[in-house]
Amino acid sequence: MRILVTGGAGYIGSVVTRCLVEEGHDVVVLDDLSTGHREAVDSRAELVVGDITRPQRVLGGVDAVVHLAARSQVAESVAYPERYWHGNITATMALLEAMREAGVKKMVFSSTAAVYGKPRGRVITEEHPTAPINPYGASKLAIDHMLAASAAAHGLGAVSLRYFNAAGALAELGERHEPETHLIPNLLEAAFTGATAKVFGTDYPTDDGTAVRDYIHVADLAQAHLRALESIEPSRHEVFNLGTGRGHSVGEVLLAVQHGTGQEVEVEHHPRRAGDPAVLVASPEKARRLLGWLPERGLEEMIADAAAARNMQRGAPAAAA
């Protein structure tokens, strides 16, 4: 297929793009490079620098859209919710309208576990009530509803993939956010440079008081997008949780980074961030059953791959971890 990947110069988008190209797809990336990196886009894909609210020039001949472009910082969404209404909801409305005009009727959408809000059980299935507690999650849930309505009204075939916590790297394609807010790259930076890492919240109702998250390797995440593309049916919107079914606390991740790098990490404790729930763990059962997908890589491999990518990006030996 010819596939448009919005946000394909970003962390997850660049890995998805590479995996799509490896599968033999013809890929065009649309990215404004506000947070993405030109050099992260696979050379076999076509890169168009532009705004996703005006995608008409790249939709010709496209069979499907993988939509990853978005604002994605929880704390920023709490402080500046209007950025998320515009950058996520309004932008996606424009993209969907352009797709309808161009006759493109397949979409895989990058959604999030943040749509669930505070979990009511230890493991979250797709049937869990959606009650986001921050504007980021609310904006993604609005798009999920938008896709369901477009499927019913216009025959769109769509899949929403609700990510839990992406981590790791594929070769040199690791995280390079500015500023970096994700736990593993910040702990690795502290381990390799001697800087102090920030830990937000030590009073959660968890075993060690730190937040628990379901970390999933970005390469496993990318494979789920490929399986989702194959599963799309006209006039149908499906939702899948993408996680491992196992949670790790911030404290556990800290110990794993120290073990993997052989370095002590100094941490600085801060209050909880607004909008962060205590525990988020996915059930991957529906994705296993309907997509034939299960994650293959564990936390140790995520840390090792992230460390290797970090060092490659900085010209240091990749084997430092």
Side-chain angles (χ1 to χ4, degrees):
M1 291 189 290
R2 181 167 173 82
I3 299 170
L4 172 65
V5 180
T6 71
Y11 169 46
I12 298 172
S14 62
V15 177
V16 170
T17 295
R18 180 167 296 181
C19 291
L20 287 168
V21 170
E22 291 289 345
E23 287 271 318
H25 295 292
D26 179 19
V27 180
V28 56
V29 168
L30 179 61
D31 199 300
D32 65 7
L33 300 183
S34 59
T35 57
H37 303 274
R38 184 185 297 270
E39 65 274 16
V41 179
D42 194 287
S43 61
R44 295 165 291 181
E46 175 188 355
L47 171 62
V48 176
V49 179
D51 189 336
I52 68 163
T53 63
R54 294 185 292 275
Q56 289 82 355
R57 62 183 172 133
V58 294
L59 282 171
V62 165
D63 300 298
V65 173
V66 178
H67 181 30
L68 296 110
R71 287 186 172 272
S72 59
Q73 303 301 325
V74 168
E76 180 193 49
S77 80
V78 174
Y80 302 101
E82 63 280 357
R83 296 178 184 177
Y84 286 72
W85 311 143
H86 176 74
N88 292 354
I89 298 173
T90 303
T92 302
M93 286 177 64
L95 176 61
L96 283 171
E97 181 63 21
M99 287 174 59
R100 189 161 68 89
E101 292 174 356
V104 181
K105 292 196 170 185
K106 293 183 178 182
M107 176 182 278
V108 174
F109 171 56
S110 166
S111 191
T112 174
V115 302
Y116 295 116
K118 294 180 179 179
R120 299 185 182 181
R122 295 294 297 176
V123 178
I124 298 174
T125 70
E126 291 79 1
E127 286 71 42
H128 188 286
T130 50
I133 59 175
N134 53 66
Y136 166 60
S139 71
K140 290 286 192 171
L141 181 59
I143 296 169
D144 285 345
H145 289 315
M146 204 184 301
L147 296 179
S150 293
H154 306 303
L156 179 72
V159 173
S160 292
L161 299 177
R162 290 176 176 168
Y163 306 167
F164 281 61
N165 282 57
L170 181 65
E172 81 285 3
L173 300 177
E175 299 194 54
R176 285 191 289 166
H177 303 117
E178 292 292 341
E180 184 58 71
T181 60
H182 291 171
L183 178 65
I184 289 175
N186 280 333
L187 291 178
L188 287 170
E189 187 68 15
F192 287 125
T193 67
T196 300
K198 295 179 180 179
V199 171
F200 294 91
T202 57
D203 60 346
Y204 286 105
T206 61
D207 289 344
D208 64 9
T210 63
V212 172
R213 295 292 181 267
D214 189 339
Y215 294 91
I216 178 171
H217 198 292
V218 66
D220 287 331
L221 205 63
Q223 288 301 314
H225 290 73
L226 272 62
R227 305 289 82 81
L229 278 168
E230 297 167 357
S231 76
I232 290 175
E233 298 180 13
S235 302
R236 188 173 181 86
H237 174 234
E238 283 283 2
V239 172
F240 295 96
N241 289 343
L242 296 185
T244 66
R246 180 185 177 190
H248 296 279
S249 72
V250 171
E252 288 176 314
V253 176
L254 171 62
L255 291 175
V257 167
Q258 292 182 145
H259 177 76
T261 61
Q263 303 293 328
E264 289 294 318
V265 177
E266 184 176 345
V267 298
E268 183 179 276
H269 296 290
H270 291 262
R272 304 181 191 183
R273 290 180 297 198
D276 273 352
V279 179
L280 281 175
V281 178
S283 167
E285 174 57 26
K286 182 179 177 183
R288 181 201 65 77
R289 180 166 43 87
L290 297 183
L291 299 181
W293 173 88
L294 272 178
E296 299 177 356
R297 302 161 179 87
L299 180 63
E300 293 76 15
E301 192 167 353
M302 294 178 217
I303 291 168
D305 289 348
R310 175 204 177 273
N311 293 334
M312 279 190 275
Q313 290 165 6
R314 290 162 174 76

